[in-house]
Amino acid sequence: MAIRAAATSAPTARSSSALSLPPPISSSSSYSSAQLSFGRAKSTTRPRTTVGCAISCTMTREAAAVTSTEKDDSDPALWSRPDSFGRFGKFGGKYVPETLMYALTELESAFNSVKNDPDFQASKLCISAVKAELGGILKDYVGRETPLYFAERLTDHYRRPNGEGPHIYLKREDLNHTGAHKINNAIGQVLLAKRLGKKRIIAETGAGQHGVATATVCARFGLECIIYMGAQDMERQSLNVFRMRLLGAEVRGVHSGTATLKDATSEAIRDWVTNVESTHYILGSVAGPHPYPMMVREFHKVIGEETRRQAMEKWGGKPDILVACVGGGSNAMGLFEDFVKDKDVRLIGVEAAGLGLDSGKHAATLTKGEVGVLHGAMSYLLQDDDGQIIEPHSISAGLDYPGVGPEHSFLKEKGRAEYYCVTDEEALEAFKRVSRLEGIIPALETSHALAYLEKLCPTLPDKTKVVLNCSGRGDKDVQTAIKYLKV
Amino acid sequence: MTSLFHFKTTAGHRHNYPQVVCPNHAVIGGNRHVMTSKSTVNPSVLRLNKYGTPAIDSPKERVAWVVDTKSPSTGKFGRFGGKFVAETLISALEELEVVFHQVLQDPEFQEELTTALKDYVGRETPLYYAERLTAHYKAQNMGRGPDIYIKREDLAHLGAHKMNNALAQAIIAKRMGLTAVIAATGAGQHGIATAAACAKFGLSCTIFMGTADMEKQPSSVDLMNLLGAKVRPTAGSFKDATSDSIRDWTEKLGEVYYLAGTAVGPHPCPTMVREFQSVIGRETRRQAAEKWGGTPDAVVACVGSGSNALGIFHEFVRDPTVRLIGVEAAGFGLNTGKHAATLAAGEVGVYHGAMSYLLQDEEGQITCPHSVGVGMEYPGVAPELSFLKETGRMEFYSASDEEAVEAYRRVARLEGILPALEASHAFAYLEKLCPTMPDGAKIIISCSGRGEKDTETVFNYPIS
């Protein structure tokens, strides 16, 4: 859950000014009137004690600097994503206990130093197949580059009676080793950890997908791996637990709280705080404190870069629309990132509406959420009137997250990206439809994006090029789907 | 051309075929087959090995003889292969053969297939240097040992090499104007691949599967259903499902396309499947040249019925310096009778339309094979592999259930790859192979499929 703000010692004098805060901003307020709000009334820290001691003081002092970028509002190429404080507009940041600040700073400088290191650089090396660490591994171990596949029968399905309709392409991240995009980031972070001399990797996992990806990569590089998993989740996903153990990871059950993902996350963070010198924490998505949202995005942006090149090869142009499912937001940022500055490319994210937006059982953070701090970053999140995190629901575990990456919150607020949502039922229908029409079984997460095509395609002019990120394969979801679909 | 040898069928009572003594003609089951072979080996050398094939010591000459002796037109590989089927199927097989040769020459077909293999299946699959596995074996031998490369067929769409063949044949079915496809599957991988290919091309799909297999692999059945295929249960296992599907084909000639999943069956099925799987070997040659400027010293693959092995071996058959190593399933042990090591423990006979090695008891009844890797449980083997065995071109060994499960765990721990239990048999053989290989020798091992489907089996496998 939210980082426990009361983790460290008594508040210092300089931070006491943070306690007299302006009223919290609501999500609908315009950017120009936004001020940094540590959202005391709407914050998610539990218990609601003095918050100031744990919040980065540089933010408080430099608050004015954040609002000064409003003059660069319209041109995406000029946006700081993120700025030097790790902020995307007002979102993002580093809301963590003081003990973690050094680790985050160290991580950021390590990442910046490798970003431009030709031996480490990813995408260019994928293309030219030059022998170098990340590129070689992504190519030979993960199986990149993944194809951009013209989905002929799906395109036919959406063709209107007069023969017009969009052309649908699938970016096949499901073909990666371990069957999802997650490994792009896991590989990048483990290589970074090795460069930092860390021998120990920790991560948390809900259903087990991120845990398996992390364990896989640790096996490949011979690093000690500890995965925190809620005891309840361990019972429900015993096969994934076994898989992680087979891969050499230690899976530690967390029994506190509700014994699910949010408690596993707290435990993982506690471990990191304790073992920060020897340990690297692999965060699975573009959420969390800076530099994680930026780093994870950078490791995934190879998806969009390949797409650009493949689109040029296939039809000599750019995609018109990019569609991706949004849980934490990593696969979407991976596809979108290279195209954010192309204003003629529409970016569409699809979240989980679960049992329906009115049911209260969903995970549609950007549609129904409000701004607050969760897991170290300011972003949209699902919270009740007391600022408590609402337990989200989606049939797909990967979208079952009450927050969202801060960069998505930023893109939504700027109007650069559009966000919609789709129910469990619609996602299941899409799961079956694409299996039957293309022989590709998409992950239930991806099925949310595929379901949105039903609403999107009728509105599109003839020959619009739609690229949808097929972020994972659905073998893991077959049992669930069969139960509901009664196939 | 005079045949260098004559041969006898040893099929046993069940098949009721007469002994063949005339070298040039064989009257078998009412069909006339002209068996000829030409050879560049000096005809005066009549020293034969225990199988009755020329014993050739020089690897180069052996390879030359092997290549010459395969007869594409009659589907014979030495004495193996052929078309031992009911007369009603002969014309269908001949038509299939004609179409097969047509498409091989047709640039449109090749382009459609290449695009589908690239964009849909995700080819080419990487040739991955297994650093930690290599180090593991070197550490056991004072830092010296071979370099191990893994051909990653586990990364293909749906997680096995089966897709290469299913896709190509689905395109052929479309060309022939057939809208219904039938196939038989054992472990389910071929059934799943066929169902997916049919979904992609809008063909209706019926998969025959043995009830014993359906019980062992319920997740495969679910996947096939999801992909829109109908699964027809047959009492028994893969061998019975295959017989049933061939029977169904005979009844519905001209209406359905029979999609062979592996390199067995009557000609042209073995040749077709091998041809479409040989993309694996072709890529491997190119990738090996890129990586170290040469060819592998040894290529290792598991052998169930033989499609993945032939897929990677075929390209290298004519390279005398490349050892071809097949690893079969020894199940509970070769002497327990509960295994699937056809080449090691079988005898020659005719099964499912082709002459090849097969597992039969003293009464000539086909035995029920066993392996922890369900895809290995076929009592026969590709005729072409039988040929490569008898000519000495290929070496074959076997690995037990226990060794395969151990290999699964080892590769998971060292490389973060879960190999299918079938492929794990090949990985198991590395334990015996690596200590014998010189330092820096290049071994390529075919990881024919991914092993997520086998996690539960490994989970439940009793640890000794």
Side-chain angles (χ1 to χ4, degrees), chain A residues 204-246:
Chain A
E204 85 294 337
T205 192
Q209 285 310 112
H210 174 57
V212 171
T214 306
T216 298
V217 161
C218 288
R220 169 62 188 82
F221 290 101
L223 295 173
E224 187 189 344
C225 180
I226 294 155
I227 309 285
Y228 287 94
M229 194 171 182
Q232 275 242 24
D233 287 333
M234 281 177 76
E235 261 183 54
R236 293 188 284 207
Q237 305 281 333
S238 53
L239 220 48
N240 265 344
V241 174
F242 179 65
R243 223 166 256 148
M244 288 184 261
R245 290 185 170 142
L246 259 182

Side-chain angles (χ1 to χ4, degrees), chain A residues 140-141 147 149 153 172 177 216 219-220 222 242-243 246-247 314 431 436-439 441 473 475 479, chain B residues 118-120 126 128 131-132 152 157 199-200 202 222-223 225-226 228 291 414-416 450 455 459:
Chain A
D140 285 351
Y141 185 67
Y149 167 70
R153 288 194 78 206
R172 302 291 302 279
H177 181 47
T216 298
R220 169 62 188 82
F242 179 65
R243 223 166 256 148
L246 259 182
L247 293 161
K314 284 195 180 316
F431 181 89
R436 295 267 162 105
L437 287 180
E438 293 289 348
I441 303 177
R473 60 177 142 93
D475 306 50
Q479 296 311 317
Chain B
K118 178 165 165 287
D119 288 351
Y120 184 67
Y128 163 69
E131 198 178 333
R132 290 194 77 208
R152 301 289 302 279
H157 180 49
K200 173 168 170 34
D222 289 335
L223 275 169
N225 284 326
L226 203 47
K291 285 193 178 328
L414 291 176
E415 293 289 348
R450 60 174 182 243
T455 311
F459 184 51

